[in-house]
Amino acid sequence: MTVDKVLRSSPGTLGDLEQGCAEARRLILDGQLDAARSRLDELRKTHGDDHAPMQETFSALAEAHGDYNVALAHFKRFHVLAIESGASSPLASRDQLLARLVERQQQNSPDMAWCLVALGAARAPAGALPHMLRQQCRAQDVLALGQGEAMLMLLHDVDLPTGRKVCERFRAVWMQQQPTAGPLSMGLTAWRGPGDTGSGLLGRAEQALARSQREGAPLRTG
């Protein structure tokens, strides 16, 4: 497998607004509807209404309240804005990514090949890192919010040597797009076959990222 078959252009527009909407969606799922409304009102004051993630989350909130006509109106607006901006699907949360890993683990497929990359950039402008990753990922890959300001990317059907090449591509694109934002730190790990776990995969990637940040190295593997 070549690195060019792993990466393809898939532009999107993400950032602190997307993270705020992800927080609101988690509150909705937890039944904390008033808290979700407050979070969305804060985001609306800062960013306005004309953003696909905002309209999608308002739709979910209205549906949770049983206001289906309002939910449909917000969803129609979301659809229009998503088409206009070329935005792809929302960022997954760290918990959603872990749940997906656990589900795949339970399928116990011996030929599974994944790599998980945890990424961080200390001086990155808001939204720059997820935007760059959206440009580079394929439709089958999963981009998620990590701990703090970190991002997570699950690469399907990618072995460790190819994963290293993908990370090198990320580093090169980051330097081109954000030459003054400081280096990109990355932690990379691969699925180890039967006996490995989703939580183990996630933990190794995040620990490798921490070593990368601590040691000032662009990439560490775990």
Side-chain angles (χ1 to χ4, degrees):
M1 180 183 296
T2 67
V3 68
D4 289 330
K5 290 183 179 179
V6 175
L7 302 176
R8 76 171 193 179
S9 176
S10 178
T13 332
L14 303 166
D16 55 344
L17 170 65
E18 181 76 30
Q19 294 194 25
C21 288
E23 292 171 8
R25 287 195 295 272
R26 286 195 291 271
L27 291 169
I28 293 169
L29 289 173
D30 289 341
Q32 301 181 52
L33 304 187
D34 290 342
R37 166 67 70 177
S38 296
R39 185 72 182 100
L40 286 172
D41 286 342
E42 292 172 5
L43 292 169
R44 174 186 271 166
K45 289 178 183 178
T46 303
H47 300 281
D49 280 334
D50 289 335
H51 300 280
M54 179 82 77
Q55 291 297 322
E56 184 183 34
T57 311
F58 269 121
S59 178
L61 180 62
E63 184 176 355
H65 277 295
D67 297 332
Y68 298 112
N69 289 334
V70 174
L72 179 60
H74 281 298
F75 190 82
K76 287 180 178 179
R77 183 60 180 150
F78 154 72
H79 185 66
V80 170
L81 290 169
I83 292 174
E84 289 176 353
S85 67
S88 50
S89 59
L91 284 169
S93 70
R94 184 178 182 276
D95 289 343
Q96 288 170 331
L97 177 62
L98 180 57
R100 183 170 301 194
L101 289 170
V102 170
E103 179 183 355
R104 292 297 301 273
Q105 172 200 346
Q106 291 171 345
Q107 295 173 0
N108 198 25
S109 302
D111 57 346
M112 289 190 303
W114 319 325
C115 278
L116 181 63
V117 190
L119 309 97
R123 301 199 305 274
L129 181 54
H131 178 70
M132 184 274 285
L133 293 173
R134 277 296 192 202
Q135 290 178 320
Q136 299 300 314
C137 73
R138 304 165 298 172
Q140 64 265 43
D141 297 325
V142 180
L143 183 60
L145 299 166
Q147 294 179 327
E149 298 297 320
M151 301 297 302
L152 298 165
M153 181 175 282
L154 180 64
L155 302 168
H156 285 266
D157 298 321
V158 174
D159 58 17
L160 192 60
T162 305
R164 290 193 182 99
K165 295 177 183 178
V166 172
C167 288
E168 179 59 29
R169 176 72 67 84
F170 288 160
R171 188 186 68 83
V173 172
W174 180 254
M175 291 177 63
Q176 291 173 357
Q177 293 187 358
Q178 302 292 336
T180 63
L184 185 63
S185 300
M186 292 174 284
L188 171 69
T189 192
W191 183 253
R192 295 178 177 175
D196 203 355
T197 64
S199 58
L201 187 78
L202 183 57
R204 292 196 305 273
E206 292 180 333
Q207 290 166 14
L209 172 61
R211 292 201 308 273
S212 172
Q213 294 170 326
R214 185 171 61 250
E215 297 167 8
L219 176 66
R220 286 288 181 261
T221 56

